[in-house]
Amino acid sequence: MVEFSWDVRSPLERALVAGPYGAHGDAGVSLTEIRDFDLVQVMARRGKAAEMATAAKGHFGVAAPETPKAVRTADATLIWSGPDQFFVLSKGGRHGMGALAPGFSGSASLSDQSHARVLISISGAKARMMLAKLSSIDLHAEAFPAGAAAATSMDHTSVTLWRGNDRTDGQAVFNVLVFATFAESLWHTMLDSAAEYGIEIAYSEDLA
């Protein structure tokens, strides 16, 4: 029998070229693909939303989001993805399918989305201006504070968007989860939208 193994590759491997792009000078936008993460969608079974919430509080030590927001724990981020459902974003397998299944076996269905989504972190002084070209959501700091989240669309592509903690320089950080099959198209759209501001492109294995 021939032995083989799958090479895990980012859907943006061909499209992402690290370094500066667009207008010269100080980059107004930073685009960073986050790689090698665990992403599990937790969805309450019919009539089990309260039980799922109890299971989430027991596992994570915090309440899972019931409204459009993202909640950070010491080693995971819980992101609202719709009524009675949320994503668990983490690294290292501690909150992967195997770790979550026992606690949620009676209250929720789990779906491993680790290789089905691409995670892009967006920051910089012109980040909101770039995002305003792609999304109708008001991203002003008062309307969309740190921890706010939305299931929305960018350039007709469905995404999950949330605001993380600010950078050390005070700039806001926005995170986007997009289906892998649409990631390259949305990436090029982001590049086109931010080119006038100058872009710093990178990839990382560190969650924001």
Side-chain angles (χ1 to χ4, degrees), residues 74-92:
D75 54 5
T77 301
L78 313 183
I79 308 148
W80 181 88
S81 59
D84 299 328
Q85 59 182 280
F86 60 95
F87 288 117
V88 180
L89 175 65
S90 62
K91 289 185 68 69

Side-chain angles (χ1 to χ4, degrees), residues 125-163:
K126 303 295 185 180
R128 285 188 178 88
M129 296 179 69
M130 183 274 278
L131 289 168
K133 299 179 181 182
L134 305 178
S135 173
S136 60
I137 290 180
D138 183 357
L139 297 177
H140 188 276
E142 294 183 2
F144 204 80
T152 184
S153 64
M154 287 186 176
D155 194 41
H156 309 291
T157 302
S158 296
V159 301
T160 299
L161 168 70
W162 75 98
R163 184 174 162 192

Side-chain angles (χ1 to χ4, degrees), residues 33-40 88-93 112-120 176-178 204-207:
E33 183 200 2
I34 311 300
R35 298 179 178 177
D36 189 26
F37 56 84
D38 297 314
L39 184 69
V40 178
V88 180
L89 175 65
S90 62
K91 289 185 68 69
D112 190 346
Q113 297 290 305
S114 304
H115 301 297
R117 310 276 178 141
V118 169
L119 174 57
I120 301 170
V176 174
L177 277 172
V178 57
S204 173
E205 294 187 358
D206 296 324
L207 293 175

